[in-house]
Amino acid sequence: MEEDTISTVSSYQTIQTFASEWTDCSNMSYSRFLKVFRSDSALHKEMLAILAAITEVIKENNGTESPGEYFCSLITTLEQILSSENENEVQVTAVCSLLNMGIKSVPEGIIKSTFNEISTKLLQILKQYSESNNNVLVKSVFGILTVCLRTQDLGVWSNTNTQHIFSAILNPFSLHTKPKWRKSAQLSIASILKAECFQDNEKFNPAAGIVATFVEQTLDACMGGNPNTVTITSVQAGQTTILHTLGLLKETIGCFPKSHIKKCCETILRLLTLNYPLVSSCGLQVLHSLFSSQKAVMPAKLNGQLISALYDYQPSPNDVQPTLAWLAVMQQAHIHLADVDAAMCCGVLPKIFTTITNLWLSEKVEIISAATYTLDALLRDAAGPICETIESVEQNKSKIAKCFNSIEAGLG
């Protein structure tokens, strides 16, 4: 496999662009950069100079221009820049950008062996430039750390150092005031939680536990710190943080341990009682994301309890956007329940069918249309599987009949 890769890289023809006249680099990881190179960009010129210098050194040492060779050379270059008395931000950004471009092609063995070395340097950079406006640098660091952390074996996650590196992205960057940094950090965290090592060992995901604890503590603090009451003044002061935290939760809750999922859902229901439109909308988006996971992530009992609780938060039948969001969540909640416990789902279907058909009386065309779409989805993905066998139909005949009676009454 490795020989094939080296052969492919070696036979790759250098791109005929302005930039290619200044470097003989033939590694495909940097092909896009060479194509879009801008001569009026100080960063691009610095990246090209570094790439050309490294390519020359690799060739002088009879290298093959493999991803691993560029990776190790760039780490050495970064170390030299960081240890220099005249450290240059453009040079740091250039090296990190090049590392981020090429790291996905680097063999896992090399990443694992250099993990401690490179992560130490990257955390130093994050700390040093956390007050800057250098989006390229910070996002490149996130990209490199994401690949490094996703590559690690499960056992490495028991080390406090690994958890510390992960936490450096989580806090403060996942809730950062700068939207680009915040979004990039949240996507990195979500990507790490779905790493292959965690997929193979679903019961042990320390990274998910770290995120869940951070989210719970942040939301509790924003609501006043008392699990039984909500302090309105505290919520008003921390509304922005709540929205950012819900954004993180939307991307990650599907990976949480079941005990944390329960607590987070309870917290979201508490937030829905506040009647802040933005907070309610984001809270429903989190629940929709949870119920829409590709695999069942919630126990049937909790799923049923949430469906029951959500009826208390049904918006006015003429309030368009909140109703559409509520319908979307209820749709996915019932489909998720059908996946984990078809019998329990059949027991709660009559109520949702009655509720939805009543929405046909709404004055808003959008709500009528959404209600029809939701019924179609529930018939297909929730009621459908229950009707696949004669035995199942007989067992649930009365409940299924109630569903169709609701539709018939609505059409009448």
Side-chain angles (χ1 to χ4, degrees):
M1 181 69 178
E2 188 174 350
E3 291 180 358
D4 292 342
T5 303
I6 292 173
S7 175
T8 302
V9 170
S10 300
S11 63
Y12 177 74
Q13 296 299 313
T14 304
I15 302 164
Q16 296 304 306
T17 64
F18 171 80
S20 65
E21 297 177 7
W22 298 93
T23 175
D24 292 328
C25 174
S26 61
N27 187 292
M28 296 180 70
S29 298
Y30 308 103
S31 60
R32 184 175 181 278
F33 162 63
L34 295 175
K35 283 181 179 178
V36 301
F37 174 82
R38 287 174 47 196
S39 58
D40 60 342
S41 167
L43 174 60
H44 278 203
K45 287 192 286 189
E46 190 65 49
M47 290 170 66
L48 183 63
I50 292 171
L51 192 61
I54 289 175
T55 301
E56 186 176 346
V57 171
I58 290 173
K59 289 190 172 185
E60 286 177 355
N61 288 277
N62 298 317
T64 60
E65 291 192 74
S66 67
E69 289 172 325
Y70 276 98
F71 180 73
C72 293
S73 298
L74 285 166
I75 291 177
T76 302
T77 303
L78 183 61
E79 186 176 283
Q80 293 171 346
I81 294 171
L82 293 176
S83 61
S84 171
E85 293 182 359
N86 300 316
E87 180 183 324
N88 186 303
E89 182 176 342
V90 176
Q91 290 181 332
V92 175
T93 306
V95 175
C96 288
S97 296
L98 291 169
L99 277 169
N100 191 36
M101 286 178 187
I103 192 170
K104 289 182 180 179
S105 303
V106 177
E108 290 187 359
I110 294 178
I111 295 177
K112 290 176 181 177
S113 64
T114 58
F115 175 58
N116 289 331
E117 178 186 358
I118 189 171
S119 60
T120 300
K121 294 180 177 62
L122 294 175
L123 291 188
Q124 176 186 337
I125 293 169
L126 275 183
K127 183 178 180 180
Q128 187 171 344
Y129 293 97
S130 61
E131 301 298 326
S132 72
N133 292 312
N134 196 330
N135 293 331
V136 175
L137 175 58
V138 173
K139 290 171 70 174
S140 294
V141 171
F142 289 160
I144 301 164
L145 285 174
T146 299
V147 175
C148 287
L149 288 166
R150 280 178 58 88
T151 304
Q152 300 309 306
D153 295 325
L154 187 62
V156 176
W157 279 95
S158 299
N159 299 337
T160 54
N161 182 51
T162 306
Q163 296 180 16
H164 171 70
I165 295 165
F166 176 69
S167 296
I169 304 176
L170 178 64
N171 186 16
F173 294 103
S174 68
L175 305 181
H176 206 279
T177 54
K178 295 177 181 175
K180 290 183 178 179
W181 293 15
R182 182 174 65 251
K183 187 62 176 177
S184 181
Q186 290 182 0
L187 292 177
S188 291
I189 290 164
S191 177
I192 293 166
L193 296 193
K194 297 169 187 173
E196 187 176 341
C197 67
F198 298 137
Q199 300 301 311
D200 297 337
N201 301 271
E202 295 180 6
K203 292 184 179 179
F204 181 68
N205 190 336
I210 292 171
V211 178
T213 301
F214 173 71
V215 165
E216 291 164 3
Q217 291 175 346
T218 302
L219 290 177
D220 283 344
C222 289
M223 290 190 289
N226 189 329
N228 299 317
T229 60
V230 177
T231 306
I232 300 301
T233 54
S234 180
V235 171
Q236 290 172 341
Q239 186 172 347
T240 300
T241 301
I242 290 173
L243 293 174
H244 293 169
T245 306
L246 290 175
L248 171 63
L249 196 54
K250 177 185 173 184
E251 301 291 342
T252 58
I253 192 171
C255 300
F256 285 6
K258 289 181 173 57
S259 59
H260 285 288
I261 288 178
K262 184 176 186 296
K263 184 172 181 180
C264 287
C265 288
E266 290 170 349
T267 301
I268 290 171
L269 292 179
R270 287 168 64 201
L271 288 171
L272 292 180
T273 63
L274 301 175
N275 291 321
Y276 286 119
L278 270 177
V279 172
S280 296
S281 175
C282 289
L284 289 174
Q285 286 177 28
V286 174
L287 294 178
H288 186 272
S289 174
L290 176 63
F291 288 127
S292 302
S293 299
Q294 291 183 347
K295 57 185 178 181
V297 294
M298 186 185 300
K301 183 179 178 181
L302 177 59
N303 197 152
Q305 289 172 339
L306 273 172
I307 288 174
S308 179
L310 282 167
Y311 281 106
D312 295 334
Y313 304 99
Q314 182 181 356
S316 163
N318 291 312
D319 202 348
V320 178
Q321 290 306 321
T323 299
L324 297 186
W326 185 84
L327 279 173
V329 172
M330 291 298 272
Q331 172 188 313
Q332 292 307 122
H334 284 80
I335 292 172
H336 185 281
L337 183 57
D339 288 338
V340 293
D341 192 325
M344 183 182 288
C345 179
C346 196
V348 299
L349 279 179
K351 184 175 181 179
I352 191 64
F353 271 69
T354 301
T355 303
I356 293 174
T357 51
N358 284 336
L359 289 176
W360 280 338
L361 300 174
S362 171
E363 300 172 359
K364 305 293 184 180
V365 175
E366 300 95 326
I367 291 179
I368 296 171
S369 176
T372 305
Y373 175 84
T374 303
L375 279 176
D376 177 62
L378 290 175
L379 284 169
R380 184 178 60 252
D381 299 325
I386 298 169
C387 300
E388 286 180 350
T389 65
I390 296 176
E391 181 183 2
S392 178
V393 170
E394 288 297 324
Q395 289 175 350
N396 301 286
K397 189 174 182 179
S398 62
K399 296 165 187 172
I400 295 172
K402 288 180 181 179
C403 294
F404 283 95
N405 287 341
S406 295
I407 296 175
E408 186 177 347
L411 293 173

